[in-house]
Amino acid sequence: MLARDLIARCHCVPRAGFCGYLGALVPQKEETNTDGKQVRAAGFNLIRLPYKNSIKKLDYEGLNMPSQTQINAAKSLALKLRAKWSPELMENPTTSQFNKALE
């Protein structure tokens, strides 16, 4: 599908007994970095498609646009909120509960 630049429409039912929804399966190419290690696996992305009555026209008139000062303040706040994160910093709750049960 990727070579032919196609997508697939599908009806997705996430679990038994649930109402399904329309979706599009978009193929994804495998990506590797310069060392040859896989960065992104090959496969499909499922994108939920809206029904016709779910699409609404948005009215942007009358919205107050932020000033450049407000934009700069928001950018500086976002930069201050960034933190260095590593998966090792986050404990697996299932493993933690299991270890507590063992103690």
Side-chain angles (χ1 to χ4, degrees):
M1 285 179 58
L2 189 61
R4 295 176 60 190
D5 198 26
L6 296 174
I7 64 168
R9 283 189 303 170
C10 62
H11 183 260
C12 182
V13 181
R15 288 184 286 273
F18 278 84
C19 182
Y21 58 88
L22 295 175
L25 286 173
V26 181
Q28 175 176 291
K29 185 172 120 180
E30 179 182 27
E31 292 182 17
T32 56
N33 61 10
T34 55
D35 299 334
K37 293 184 180 179
Q38 188 180 53
V39 177
R40 183 178 295 172
F44 290 94
N45 289 317
L46 176 64
I47 300 173
R48 191 176 191 152
L49 297 176
Y51 291 100
K52 184 177 179 180
N53 59 354
S54 299
I55 300 173
K56 297 181 176 38
K57 187 167 182 138
L58 299 177
D59 183 22
Y60 293 109
E61 292 180 22
L63 291 179
N64 296 331
M65 297 305 291
S67 66
Q68 192 60 40
T69 308
Q70 291 171 325
I71 293 172
N72 292 338
K75 284 181 180 178
S76 67
L77 177 65
L79 289 173
K80 289 178 184 176
L81 292 176
R82 288 187 181 173
K84 292 184 179 180
W85 186 82
S86 172
E88 290 84 28
L89 298 174
M90 191 71 158
E91 288 188 29
N92 184 345
T94 307
T95 308
S96 299
Q97 185 178 8
F98 178 74
N99 291 336
K100 286 179 185 176
L102 288 177
E103 292 175 357

